[in-house]
Amino acid sequence: MMITHDTRCALDAVVDLLNTAPEGEAPGAPDSLTAVPAVEDFARRNNFSDVGTLGPDDLAAVRRVRARFAEVFAAGDDRTAAARLNALVASAGTTPQLTDHDGYDWHVHYFAPGASVADRMAADGGMALAFLVVAGERERLRRCEAPDCRHAFVDLSRNRSRRYCDSRTCGNRLHVAAYRARRREAAG
């Protein structure tokens, strides 16, 4: 599956945003998006340019966008996902524009200049997710299968076989536990 740089960045930002929610971690984990500095850090970490000064209204709006992205990941079928994405992208007031900022070649931003950080996330992230639906690849939107982790991820493996948000942590931890259980059983 061919994914452009800007689409990949938008998908990564969606996943990062989803994983700030409590359901993105072990049960009872705290929400890591509870204050304006957390939104500022998120925007900086995901290379959002020209964000401007953020306030409590931005925090609330970003949390609403996060909830809507979670609904797209939870959609049971393409039609439901498409309806949720259409509503999300429309609410952001998309205005596609070609741009070549910050050393990147020409690419498309789907938000209007001066759009809020939440509208930028909704427009660019919504369109990136829409491309997956159009390509028949919605099943690549996943949650980690580790029982104590619900992190979101986009499975970009060639054969769509990825099961864990991070094979070095969740996947390895489960494989080691299974190995130890087999050894205990064999020794038993």
Side-chain angles (χ1 to χ4, degrees), residues 9-21:
C9 289
L11 289 171
D12 290 345
V14 168
V15 166
D16 189 19
L17 181 62
L18 285 170
N19 291 335
T20 65

Side-chain angles (χ1 to χ4, degrees), residues 13-80:
V14 168
V15 166
D16 189 19
L17 181 62
L18 285 170
N19 291 335
T20 65
E23 67 268 17
E25 306 225 2
D31 188 329
S32 63
L33 199 61
T34 59
V36 172
V39 177
E40 293 168 340
D41 181 54
F42 173 85
R44 191 172 26 264
R45 190 170 61 242
N46 287 282
N47 298 316
F48 282 44
S49 58
D50 301 322
V51 171
T53 303
L54 301 177
D57 290 343
D58 294 298
L59 171 62
V62 167
R63 290 172 60 102
R64 285 191 299 273
V65 167
R66 179 180 69 184
R68 293 178 82 179
F69 281 142
E71 291 172 357
V72 172
F73 266 66
D77 56 59
D78 288 351
R79 187 163 305 284
T80 302

Side-chain angles (χ1 to χ4, degrees), residues 63-133:
R63 290 172 60 102
R64 285 191 299 273
V65 167
R66 179 180 69 184
R68 293 178 82 179
F69 281 142
E71 291 172 357
V72 172
F73 266 66
D77 56 59
D78 288 351
R79 187 163 305 284
T80 302
R84 291 174 179 170
L85 284 168
N86 284 339
L88 177 64
V89 170
S91 71
T94 57
T95 307
Q97 295 191 33
L98 285 169
T99 182
D100 66 341
H101 62 89
D102 297 331
Y104 294 109
D105 285 333
W106 290 105
H107 60 282
V108 179
H109 281 183
Y110 294 95
F111 54 86
S116 71
V117 68
D119 284 346
R120 292 171 70 159
M121 288 180 201
D124 274 356
M127 290 304 299
L129 294 172
F131 291 141
L132 289 178
V133 172

